Amino acid sequence: MKDRNTTDVEMPVTSEDTGVWGSDIFAEMLRGLGVKYVALNPGSSFRGLHDSLVNKLGNRDPQMLLCLHEEHAVAIAHGYAKVTGEPLAVILHSNVGLMHGSMSIFNAWCDRVPMLVYGATGPVDAALRRPWIDWLHTCRDQGALIRNYVKWDDQPGSMEAALESMLRADVIARTEPTGPTYVSFDVSIQEKKHAEAPALPDFSRFRPPLPAAPSAEGVAQAAALLTQAKRPVVLAGRVSRDPVDWARRVALVEALGAEVLTDIRIGASFPTDHPQHRGKPSFFIDDVSGEVLRQADVILSLDWLDLAGTLKLAGKLEARVIQASLDHQLHNGWGMEHQALPALDLHLACAPDVATHALADALGVGGGDAPADLPVKPAFDAPAEETPLDIMTLAGALGQGLDGICASMVRLPLGWAGESWHFRHPLDFLGYDGGGGIGSGPGMLIGAALALKDSDRLPVAVLGDGDFMMAASAFWTAAHYGTPFLAVVSNNQSFYNDEVHQERVAVERNRPVENKWIGQRIGDPDIDIAAVARAQGCEGIGPVSTAGELVEAVRKGIEMVKAGKSVVIDAHVQPGYNPNMVAGLTRSE
């Protein structure tokens, strides 16, 4: 595969002006909204918009990203937003494309990332529908398929209404708490010819509102509680990736003398090698974190994911609890992703970073030093070369292979041990998928790598083998558009998460645990992960099964990534999770 840049591919021939079509106006709106890329899998319901993106805009600003499945398209937008905080656009084909992409939309909703999802429908006017296919691709209320997990949706009935819908969707998606929005375009509106193009809006007048500030009274109460506390604890949750916010967060913690806990589900939020960081970044709190919470007299939650569940796991608490979050604005009666209701002594209804700055201002705490882009820093020593790989030794060997490299860990698998790696910058780790939708990892890696392409950071992901195989064709998009990254597939040849559950059920029912692998193991025949990657146009390495082999493969892969390649390493690991993860998965309450 020859090296290429994303913008070097799919350049259209020059098109003559053939008039103004409805979809031309939609395309110009996307450009005016600042959309850089549009991820899509083609569909006839938006053939007009597809033509306009190519022949009206020249496939630039925005540029189309061809994906082989709608879930991949949405996941790419998800990964891009996790790095930039900005929405990428996705176009999904009618009801069937929307149903394909719905799992990834749910992930984005749970992860609270901004996203502009556009759809299309066959003619709403039945008299205009082609026999059979247009009827299949038309439904009365398309947005109902995903309405419970988007911030807003619309199916405008005219050009004028469509322009307003696009503006509104953009504002709502970007307003905290952020999330996906959905607008569906009637194919008839797309394909209508206009005598002249309508004037586009002044985009500068359609911006998200300024962040809501907490009340002065609330800030004063929180500041008093924290300064009087003898054992304050900060739960650094869903916060921004802005280095300025990161620095102020650290400065506030240091001024308070607080202890800090972080969560591996949502990415880097505080330096994990800081002397005031406690416990392990994990899916479920460990014993050290539980003890920290039990000893606390004041807890400040910065939009901590599942605050009530975490406090319940900690046991009997005496602490006063302060929450800084706007997440309650997205809670509805359909899903339970809002988690249990926490008991609070004070709720600052604002974004967590706004609360951090307000509290720091009230306490006279300065801005702090911006975090540096540093090489990765594993917490474990490198294992001996001949050591067989498991989830723990994989971390040590990966760290040795990445020695001296400034990397962004885009994704880590369920069994990863949070104590095995240090995060010292908001881009050091981007978190999990939000909704637990397996198959999202490859697309999110590609989206994040796209966003990091012009930076000095190397995008790295450790993917599960099940996650990889559910979305392996996503890697074709990365190869096609020359998107470099390093993916290590932690291949335990099993859906091991469910082996853990089957073992527990067997123990409870006094049945043989030796059978837990049946219906779980991915073998006989084994899947050649590296060959699957090569089939998509990527570089495939492996399988490797020892620490030394993985170190060598990572170093070889880094050189390929520097040359612009998308690289996948098949690392055979022994089945197993870290003990804290196993305990969390099998905990009954």
Side-chain angles (χ1 to χ4, degrees):
M1 183 187 74
K2 69 176 184 177
D3 296 342
R4 64 178 76 184
N5 292 319
T6 307
T7 54
D8 289 341
V9 298
E10 298 176 344
M11 289 292 292
V13 299
T14 303
S15 174
E16 295 182 3
D17 186 4
T18 61
V20 179
W21 304 87
S23 57
D24 292 346
I25 302 164
F26 295 155
E28 293 284 8
M29 283 290 293
L30 288 174
R31 177 174 282 176
L33 291 171
V35 174
K36 189 174 181 181
Y37 298 105
V38 176
L40 56 83
N41 181 263
S44 60
S45 63
F46 62 89
R47 66 187 186 183
L49 181 53
H50 192 128
D51 171 81
S52 297
L53 291 170
V54 174
N55 292 312
K56 181 67 175 179
L57 300 189
N59 197 26
R60 293 296 179 268
D61 299 321
Q63 179 185 3
M64 291 191 295
L65 300 174
L66 176 60
C67 303
L68 304 186
H69 194 287
E70 288 87 353
E71 276 197 31
H72 309 342
V74 180
I76 285 171
H78 188 167
Y80 185 90
K82 285 171 82 74
V83 173
T84 65
E86 296 291 318
L88 203 67
V90 180
I91 308 178
L92 304 177
H93 168 46
S94 72
N95 49 358
V96 291
L98 184 60
M99 286 186 271
H100 262 167
S102 61
M103 179 64 252
S104 290
I105 295 173
F106 180 70
N107 278 338
W109 164 260
C110 293
D111 212 20
R112 307 312 193 214
V113 297
M115 186 181 297
L116 300 173
V117 185
Y118 299 107
T121 178
V124 173
D125 184 349
L128 300 177
R129 293 178 199 149
R130 295 172 294 163
W132 182 61
I133 194 67
D134 275 350
W135 290 82
L136 285 179
H137 291 167
T138 305
C139 54
R140 190 172 303 280
D141 186 7
Q142 196 160 281
L145 288 167
I146 57 169
R147 185 163 298 139
N148 291 306
Y149 43 97
V150 295
K151 288 187 70 178
W152 183 77
D153 75 276
D154 194 23
Q155 186 170 302
S158 68
M159 174 57 65
E160 293 77 14
L163 300 188
E164 180 174 307
S165 290
M166 293 181 76
L167 291 168
R168 190 188 301 272
D170 181 71
V171 169
I172 291 174
R174 295 173 185 266
T175 300
E176 292 198 42
T178 60
T181 55
Y182 178 70
V183 177
S184 178
F185 301 122
D186 186 339
V187 69
S188 303
I189 301 176
Q190 295 179 60
E191 299 186 6
K192 179 181 178 180
K193 192 170 185 178
H194 293 252
E196 59 181 5
L200 294 181
D202 179 354
F203 293 96
S204 67
R205 300 187 69 187
F206 296 92
R207 302 291 188 190
L210 294 174
S215 69
E217 178 184 1
V219 172
Q221 290 180 22
L225 285 170
L226 289 166
T227 53
Q228 294 166 13
K230 293 181 173 60
R231 294 293 299 271
V233 172
V234 174
L235 299 176
R238 289 183 289 209
V239 292
S240 83
R241 303 208 186 280
D242 189 330
V244 174
D245 293 338
W246 173 284
R248 201 78 188 280
R249 198 177 308 130
V250 174
L252 177 62
V253 165
E254 291 175 344
L256 293 171
E259 296 177 292
V260 181
L261 302 181
T262 58
D263 187 335
I264 205 166
R265 292 169 294 185
I266 54 178
S269 57
F270 192 85
T272 55
D273 58 350
H274 191 285
Q276 287 164 246
H277 184 273
R278 299 287 183 267
K280 308 165 186 175
S282 57
F283 283 82
F284 305 98
I285 61 169
D286 60 7
D287 292 341
V288 172
S289 300
E291 183 62 23
V292 166
L293 290 171
R294 287 189 293 274
Q295 292 182 1
D297 51 1
V298 175
I299 296 171
L300 172 62
S301 164
L302 298 177
D303 198 19
W304 183 261
L305 178 60
D306 191 14
L307 177 60
T310 298
L311 299 182
K312 180 180 179 180
L313 290 177
K316 183 174 176 57
L317 303 179
E318 303 294 338
R320 306 286 293 277
V321 180
I322 306 167
Q323 168 82 303
S325 175
L326 286 169
D327 199 62
H328 58 283
Q329 294 185 1
L330 298 187
H331 299 170
N332 60 44
W334 177 80
M336 299 297 115
E337 76 282 347
H338 50 62
Q339 309 294 323
L341 184 66
L344 305 174
D345 296 286
L346 180 62
H347 186 172
L348 303 179
C350 63
D353 300 289
V354 172
T356 297
H357 288 289
L359 286 169
D361 288 344
L363 297 173
V365 177
D369 297 325
D373 283 300
L374 299 169
V376 296
K377 185 180 180 183
F380 291 166
D381 292 333
E385 289 187 3
E386 66 278 7
T387 307
L389 289 174
D390 60 19
I391 197 65
M392 307 295 275
T393 56
L394 182 148
L398 178 60
Q400 185 179 1
L402 290 170
D403 184 39
I405 300 295
C406 182
S408 283
M409 302 299 289
V410 176
R411 185 66 169 267
L412 297 171
L414 280 173
W416 187 265
E419 70 272 26
S420 65
W421 212 272
H422 285 306
F423 307 128
R424 298 171 289 172
H425 186 281
L427 288 177
D428 277 0
F429 175 54
L430 302 185
Y432 203 55
D433 60 17
I438 303 301
S440 61
M444 289 175 62
L445 168 59
I446 294 163
L450 191 66
L452 293 168
K453 197 167 185 180
D454 295 327
S455 74
D456 294 328
R457 286 182 165 266
L458 181 81
V460 179
V462 182
L463 305 172
D465 49 331
D467 193 30
F468 174 85
M469 285 306 303
M470 284 188 185
S473 62
F475 286 101
W476 177 88
T477 298
H480 182 64
Y481 294 103
T483 309
F485 57 75
L486 180 68
V488 177
V489 178
S490 177
N491 185 1
N492 59 17
Q493 300 172 294
S494 172
F495 288 103
Y496 189 76
N497 175 73
D498 290 286
E499 284 199 46
V500 174
H501 286 288
Q502 293 308 130
E503 179 173 344
R504 167 150 189 173
V505 172
V507 169
E508 288 180 345
R509 297 178 179 183
N510 195 28
R511 292 173 176 173
V513 298
E514 293 83 1
N515 293 332
K516 67 179 183 178
W517 65 275
I518 296 175
Q520 316 284 3
R521 294 285 171 88
I522 307 172
D524 192 24
D526 294 342
I527 296 173
D528 190 336
I529 296 289
V532 172
R534 287 192 292 270
Q536 313 308 313
C538 299
E539 299 290 338
I541 302 174
V544 298
S545 58
T546 67
E549 290 173 343
L550 180 57
V551 171
E552 182 181 350
V554 169
R555 289 172 177 167
K556 179 180 178 182
I558 289 170
E559 295 307 309
M560 293 177 174
V561 173
K562 289 179 178 178
K565 308 293 186 181
S566 308
V567 181
V568 177
I569 299 172
D570 181 8
H572 282 201
V573 300
Q574 298 172 354
Y577 283 170
N578 72 83
N580 183 58
M581 187 64 184
V582 174
L585 287 172
T586 58
R587 190 179 284 117
S588 60
E589 59 179 34

